[in-house]
Amino acid sequence: MRSRIIPAAFFRRDPIRCARELVGTELIWGKCAGVIVETEAYLAERDEACHTFSRPTARAFIERNKAGAAYIYFSYGAHWMLNVLVKGASNGFVLIRAVQPLRGIELMKKRRGVDDKRRLCSGPGKLTQAFGITNQHHEMNLCVDPRHCFAHSSGDDVDVVADKRIGITRSAHHPWRFTICGNPFVSRRVKL
């Protein structure tokens, strides 16, 4: 069964709900694709871990872009991070943290210099490197181009687990990290 692009309407609601419901969908990027196995939600208001808390450029990004736009930034001078803009009753972002590779695996291995399929996209920086995602994709509309989008997959429903966000120090207590229960492709296993 062919994948269907997730429309902008999906991203016009609560960031936490979007983060949970993106788990199990596909990320399609050129010749590469995979099932999203891990996400994190960030709220534009009252969330100290969100870029909007300390970066006026992130607030301006929300103002000038529509829901479903790619928000890509360079983290710790080492890795690109792929986020999608969510605009609804609450604005925010969903960080795509990990993907289980489906297509373009040899290209991903070449880009990453790694043979272990489980290590190709098991973290947000690894994922962007494997998929070839950089700042040239910043502000791209991810709801119109079947070559760069999120898509509903033909797979079964997935068992999603909520956990605390990782890799941050402020507002880390929020259980806004979502993973497929027991999936070996996540960046860090959930402590149940």
Side-chain angles (χ1 to χ4, degrees):
M1 183 174 183
R2 192 172 168 165
S3 299
R4 295 180 296 122
I5 294 177
I6 294 176
F10 179 93
F11 300 102
R12 289 191 210 113
R13 54 204 182 119
D14 177 57
I16 298 167
R17 186 172 170 200
C18 280
R20 176 181 276 280
E21 293 181 12
L22 272 176
V23 174
T25 66
E26 280 187 42
L27 173 63
I28 298 170
W29 209 272
K31 295 179 180 179
C32 299
V35 174
I36 298 172
V37 298
E38 182 180 354
T39 63
E40 282 180 347
Y42 291 87
L43 302 182
E45 299 289 326
R46 296 178 300 278
D47 181 357
E48 291 184 56
C50 187
H51 280 185
T52 55
F53 192 79
S54 60
R55 294 184 186 184
T57 55
R59 293 189 291 274
F61 175 90
I62 291 174
E63 291 301 316
R64 73 174 174 268
N65 284 281
K66 295 179 181 176
Y71 177 63
I72 298 172
Y73 63 89
F74 208 51
S75 179
Y76 302 112
H79 305 288
W80 295 109
M81 304 293 227
L82 171 63
N83 297 260
V84 60
L85 175 61
V86 179
K87 294 178 86 168
S90 297
N91 295 336
F93 301 97
V94 175
L95 171 64
I96 310 304
R97 285 199 55 87
V99 167
Q100 181 174 337
L102 293 176
R103 293 186 299 280
I105 294 169
E106 291 308 312
L107 180 56
M108 292 183 202
K109 286 180 178 180
K110 182 178 178 184
R111 286 174 174 158
R112 290 264 302 119
V114 172
D115 279 331
D116 184 351
K117 188 176 168 183
R118 287 179 302 181
R119 292 181 50 222
L120 288 176
C121 303
S122 60
K126 295 175 184 180
L127 183 158
T128 55
Q129 184 181 18
F131 275 63
I133 298 170
T134 67
N135 65 333
Q136 74 179 22
H137 303 108
H138 184 61
E139 299 194 53
M140 178 184 282
N141 183 341
L142 300 177
C143 301
V144 294
D145 183 354
R147 296 169 300 162
H148 300 95
C149 68
F150 299 100
H152 294 287
S153 65
S154 57
D156 296 328
D157 288 336
V158 293
D159 185 12
V160 178
V161 178
D163 192 18
K164 293 179 184 176
R165 296 182 294 187
I166 57 177
I168 57 174
T169 54
R170 295 179 299 182
S171 298
H173 64 284
H174 294 298
W176 296 341
R177 173 182 173 234
F178 302 98
T179 61
I180 293 179
C181 185
N183 188 283
F185 291 87
V186 299
S187 65
R188 189 183 306 168
R189 291 184 184 197
V190 176
K191 295 177 183 174
L192 298 174

